[in-house]
Amino acid sequence: MAFREINSKMVEATVAPGQRLYSQRGAMLAYRGEVSFTPNVQGGQGGLMSMIGRRIANEATPLMTVEGSGTVLFGHGGHHVQVLHLTGDTLYVESDRLLAFEGTLTQGTVFLGAQGGVMGMVRGQVSGQGLFTTTLKGHGAVAVMAHGGVFEIPITPQRPVHVDPQAYVAHHGDVRNKLSTALGWRDMVGRGSGEAFQLELSGSGAVYVQASEEKL
């Protein structure tokens, strides 16, 4: 296991010879051992296509390649950090939520419209998250950031989940998304903050939400 949660806002990563980690630039807090940090222009294991996808998506979250032998403490902006574990499936996550991930995972991008059709594109416009999202696939660990921590909600064919688009962090599994309209209590009392739109996720998998509607 590459990551160990130190507290709610920091993780410790073990770096071993012949293995790589990727992290947001500026996320390194401290390290011990012989560890190198190199700006990454290839987009992790996703290579050139991952890089092109992020450029099209106008995602400006640069990465570092972390190699060597030692331990590294990661954290960023005082945000809460949670470690998620992939066992061959694909995680869909907003790029600015990624703190660090193991090099065993293949990174890519996906067009939201491909998952939710026109409504997927509308979701991107309304939530401000863009039309693309980052994918991580394979076996390995991912450290994600959120306001107020991350909560996992199971999604089943019988029980779809509705999420405020601003609270969405990531999801995995055989899941489809679409944007639906609803009138929330805050709209009724004049405090509308986006509850008129809900992200509906259906299928089999799980969605991760943060305890806040704030963007990182």
Side-chain angles (χ1 to χ4, degrees):
M1 184 184 301
F3 298 109
R4 180 172 69 93
E5 296 180 3
I6 300 298
N7 57 35
S8 63
K9 299 183 180 182
M10 287 192 298
V11 294
E12 181 183 67
T14 299
V15 186
Q19 300 177 355
R20 288 182 177 179
L21 299 176
Y22 297 98
S23 75
Q24 275 201 30
R25 294 186 197 175
M28 187 274 290
L29 302 176
Y31 72 91
R32 291 182 293 188
E34 298 295 325
V35 182
S36 65
F37 303 87
T38 308
N40 180 269
V41 296
Q42 292 296 320
Q45 271 201 33
L48 182 60
M49 293 310 295
S50 174
M51 181 180 67
I52 292 174
R54 292 202 312 279
R55 292 294 181 270
I56 294 174
N58 195 29
E59 293 181 355
T61 305
L63 297 175
M64 294 188 302
T65 300
V66 184
E67 298 175 287
S69 178
T71 58
V72 185
L73 286 178
F74 290 111
H76 189 64
H79 301 305
H80 286 77
V81 180
Q82 183 147 340
V83 177
L84 309 178
H85 301 278
L86 300 184
T87 56
D89 51 344
T90 300
L91 180 73
Y92 299 80
V93 58
E94 302 304 319
S95 62
D96 61 354
R97 306 283 182 170
L98 281 174
L99 178 66
F101 59 94
E102 290 187 84
T104 53
L105 298 171
T106 300
Q107 184 186 10
T109 55
V110 64
F111 183 56
L112 288 177
Q115 282 202 305
V118 173
M119 297 312 292
M121 291 185 281
V122 173
R123 174 210 158 204
Q125 294 289 353
V126 171
S127 67
Q129 294 169 335
L131 300 181
F132 287 74
T133 196
T134 297
T135 61
L136 293 171
K137 183 177 182 179
H139 294 261
V142 185
V144 299
M145 297 180 292
H147 284 287
V150 176
F151 184 71
E152 179 180 357
I153 305 176
I155 303 169
T156 66
Q158 296 76 27
R159 301 188 69 180
V161 178
H162 294 81
V163 177
D164 186 306
Q166 302 292 356
Y168 170 85
V169 175
H171 76 269
H172 72 85
D174 183 13
V175 174
R176 294 187 61 83
N177 69 70
K178 69 176 182 179
L179 202 72
S180 60
T181 58
L183 187 63
W185 68 270
R186 294 186 186 181
D187 296 278
M188 297 186 68
V189 297
R191 296 182 181 180
S193 62
E195 282 78 6
F197 296 95
Q198 295 178 354
L199 182 63
E200 179 183 332
L201 299 111
S202 58
S204 300
V207 59
Y208 300 92
V209 299
Q210 66 174 16
S212 171
E213 294 176 335
E214 294 183 44
K215 296 181 181 180
L216 293 185

